[in-house]
């Protein structure tokens, strides 16, 4: 810290980027008790960095009566020193009017975050915001006070799964305006539910791509809020991928997944990757009727679903999948159901999938050949 103060004691009127490397693991403990020695923002180059555009530091600067009018990128990965409060963060961002990218990783716990004296903040240039390790209420309180009219990338990761419905509701209230804006501007939307990576929403136009990634959030709450945020979200979601059940440890169930895909009636494509509910979902989507399940609610409305892809390890559900695909092939051959989606098996899986996976692939190939023969017959008839 003494070296830092010595190096940064003079003005830096032309400095555009300042990066301070994080402390090594074996150094962090020795600095834990030296919070008072960490310089305040006004002590770095005497607060004279009028052209600074990039600042990357491993601790919280004691922002105090200082502004960086040209700062565009700010990255804080907390290693030592005092923790910021939500009010500290809002005051800091208000001092950086040109901020385009903000990344903060810090265990912010702010019990008084609901009683802030700072006004809401319009970040007119912020395009990227990434936040990690915040306490739930502090995170929700921060986002509720931010207006993000041009944000393109949102990434939020929690250390532990957020299970409390009330807190989840507050957080999604803060996220709804962003989801609504991205949905209304998008031409197509894709959704990923991943056991490890959380909920991923991607919004596409012919020239742009925006995204929201939420890790350790129950996807059921996220999707409910997203679908209520904008009618466009329901109508423009064309692709859904479910990996590992979408998050088994976050209490997802087959019933919840079925309810979700029932709601997304305009899906064109769907991928089931190692999901423990793959057979149940596939059966209901196809309305195959060879398992003891009810037909998919509103199945007659599934005119848009054109393709279903199976990925990952399928060992646990192989027997059920074989029965379902046999029925699917038969229905294609006998033309028993219009708009029956195409099915494909993606190469891969675990080391034990080989023989049974090839059996699935043969059924899919035979079913697709039925479809091709049907197309040829229709062409000859014309």
């Amino acid at each position: 810290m003494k070296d830092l103060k010595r190096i940064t004691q003079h003005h830096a009127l032309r400095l555009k980027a300042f990066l301070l490397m994080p402390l090594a693991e074996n150094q962090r403990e020795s600095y834990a008790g030296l919070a008072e020695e960490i310089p305040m923002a006004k002590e770095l180059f005497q607060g004279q960095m009028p052209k600074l555009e990039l600042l990357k530091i491993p601790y919280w600067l004691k922002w105090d009566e200082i502004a960086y009018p040209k700062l565009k990128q700010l990255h804080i990965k907390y290693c030592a020193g005092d923790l910021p409060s939500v009010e500290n963060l809002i005051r800091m961002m208000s001092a950086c009017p040109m901020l385009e990218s903000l990344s903060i990783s810090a265990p912010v716990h702010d019990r008084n975050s609901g009683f802030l004296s700072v006004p809401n903040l319009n970040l007119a240039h912020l395009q990227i915001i990434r936040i990690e390790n915040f306490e739930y209420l502090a995170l929700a309180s921060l986002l509720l006070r931010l207006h993000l009219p041009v944000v393109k990338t949102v990434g939020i990761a929690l250390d532990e799964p957020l299970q409390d419905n009330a807190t989840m509701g507050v957080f999604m209230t803060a996220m709804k305006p962003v989801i609504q804006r991205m949905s209304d501007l998008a031409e197509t939307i894709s959704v990923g539910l991943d056991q490890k990576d959380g909920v991923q929403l991607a919004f596409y136009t012919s020239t742009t791509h925006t995204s929201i990634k939420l890790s350790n959030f129950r996807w059921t709450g996220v999707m409910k809020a997203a679908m209520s945020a904008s009618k466009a979200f329901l109508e423009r979601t064309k692709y859904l991928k479910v990996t590992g059940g979408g998050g088994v440890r976050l209490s997802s169930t087959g019933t919840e997944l079925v309810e979700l895909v029932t709601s997304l009636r305009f899906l064109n494509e769907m991928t089931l990757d190692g999901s423990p509910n793959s057979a149940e979902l596939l059966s209901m989507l196809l309305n195959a009727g060879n398992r003891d399940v009810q037909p998919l609610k509103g199945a007659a409305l599934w005119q848009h679903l054109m393709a279903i892809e199976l990925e990952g390890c399928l060992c646990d559900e192989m027997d059920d999948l074989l029965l379902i695909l046999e029925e699917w092939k038969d229905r294609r051959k006998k033309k028993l159901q219009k708009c029956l989606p195409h099915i494909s098996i993606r190469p891969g899986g675990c080391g034990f999938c080989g023989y049974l996976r090839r059996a699935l692939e043969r059924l899919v190939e035979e079913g697709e050949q039925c479809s091709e023969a049907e197309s040829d017959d229709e062409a000859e008839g014309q």
Side-chain angles (χ1 to χ4, degrees):
M1 290 300 172
K2 293 180 179 179
D3 289 338
L4 176 62
K5 289 184 176 181
R6 177 178 56 81
I7 294 170
T8 63
Q9 63 180 317
H10 301 296
H11 294 171
L13 301 180
R14 297 183 180 181
L15 187 68
K16 290 190 175 183
F18 181 58
L19 289 77
L20 190 60
M21 298 302 293
L23 298 169
E25 289 289 341
N26 60 355
Q27 292 179 306
R28 294 182 185 181
E29 187 174 342
S30 62
Y31 279 99
L34 300 178
E36 68 282 355
E37 294 190 16
I38 294 177
M40 300 175 72
K42 65 182 180 182
E43 295 174 329
L44 287 177
F45 304 103
Q46 298 185 21
Q48 299 298 312
M49 294 183 285
K51 295 187 177 182
L52 190 69
E53 296 181 0
L54 168 62
L55 179 60
K56 187 173 183 179
I57 50 177
Y59 59 83
W60 170 247
L61 280 176
K62 299 172 185 175
W63 233 271
D64 182 39
E65 299 178 0
I66 189 68
Y68 293 131
K70 294 185 180 293
L71 190 67
K72 295 181 179 180
Q73 299 181 57
L74 175 61
H75 304 269
I76 301 174
K77 186 172 178 63
Y78 173 81
C79 292
D82 292 332
L83 282 170
S85 65
V86 171
E87 186 166 340
N88 291 151
L89 291 171
I90 293 175
R91 292 188 187 280
M92 174 270 295
M93 286 185 277
S94 66
C96 307
M98 302 303 294
L99 201 60
E100 296 177 0
S101 176
L102 174 65
S103 176
I104 301 178
S105 177
V108 176
H109 294 263
D110 198 343
R111 298 301 177 187
N112 297 317
S113 57
F115 306 95
L116 303 183
S117 59
V118 292
N120 292 353
L121 182 60
N122 181 20
L123 296 170
H125 301 278
L126 193 70
Q127 298 184 39
I128 301 172
I129 181 168
R130 293 190 173 94
I131 301 174
E132 297 180 357
N133 303 327
F134 275 45
E135 185 265 339
Y136 309 142
L137 291 177
L139 174 62
S141 180
L142 174 64
L143 292 175
L144 279 170
R145 285 166 171 78
L146 300 182
H147 178 48
L148 307 169
V150 298
V151 71
K152 294 180 179 179
T153 302
V154 177
I156 298 175
L158 300 174
D159 278 345
E160 297 294 334
L162 176 53
Q163 301 281 15
D164 181 70
N165 290 332
T167 305
M168 183 70 176
V170 174
F171 172 80
M172 290 312 301
T173 297
M175 288 300 301
K176 269 189 176 183
V178 177
I179 295 174
Q180 180 179 10
R181 181 180 64 82
M182 290 185 176
S183 299
D184 291 347
L185 293 175
E187 295 171 4
T188 61
I189 301 170
S190 70
V191 176
L193 309 179
D194 192 299
Q195 180 173 339
K196 294 181 180 179
D197 291 334
V199 182
Q200 301 174 65
L201 309 178
F203 307 81
Y204 299 94
T205 70
S206 57
T207 58
T208 63
H209 168 220
T210 59
S211 65
I212 298 173
K213 181 176 180 180
L214 307 175
S215 299
N216 266 337
F217 290 82
R218 281 198 68 194
W219 65 261
T220 48
V222 174
M223 293 303 297
K224 182 179 179 180
M227 289 187 289
S228 65
S230 171
K231 183 181 179 182
F233 185 88
L234 285 169
E235 296 176 348
R236 297 171 190 174
T237 297
K238 306 297 185 182
Y239 176 73
L240 171 66
K241 181 172 183 177
V242 181
T243 302
V248 173
R249 66 196 181 97
L250 302 186
S251 303
S252 66
T253 66
T255 301
E256 289 172 331
L257 285 169
V258 168
E259 290 176 354
L260 173 64
V261 297
T262 303
S263 301
L264 299 174
R265 295 188 293 107
F266 293 90
L267 282 179
N268 293 151
E269 300 178 47
M270 185 172 178
T271 298
L272 301 174
D273 182 359
S275 169
N277 311 109
S278 293
E280 181 181 13
L281 281 168
L282 185 61
S283 177
M284 289 188 172
L285 288 170
L286 300 177
N287 198 11
N290 55 54
R291 301 188 75 201
D292 186 19
V293 294
Q294 294 296 318
L296 182 66
K297 179 182 177 182
L301 300 174
W302 280 83
Q303 303 296 318
H304 302 277
L305 186 63
M306 301 299 294
I308 301 174
E309 183 176 57
L310 300 177
E311 285 188 16
C313 176
L314 304 172
C315 291
D316 290 343
E317 299 197 284
M318 195 65 72
D319 291 341
D320 286 333
L321 288 172
L322 285 168
L323 289 173
I324 293 167
L325 290 180
E326 188 70 53
E327 175 71 13
W328 166 81
K329 183 189 77 171
D330 191 53
R331 295 176 106 176
R332 293 189 78 89
K333 185 177 181 179
K334 296 178 180 179
K335 304 178 184 179
L336 295 178
Q337 184 176 340
K338 292 184 178 180
C339 302
L340 198 62
H342 297 277
I343 295 178
S344 60
I345 309 292
R346 190 176 181 88
C350 73
F352 302 98
C353 282
Y355 167 73
L356 291 173
R357 197 180 192 88
R358 286 192 290 273
L360 290 177
E361 291 170 350
R362 281 195 298 271
L363 283 172
V364 168
E365 184 177 351
E366 291 169 5
E368 292 300 331
Q369 286 174 351
C370 294
S371 177
E372 291 172 5
E374 179 182 340
S375 299
D376 292 341
D377 291 343
E378 290 176 356
E380 289 178 5
Q382 294 176 355

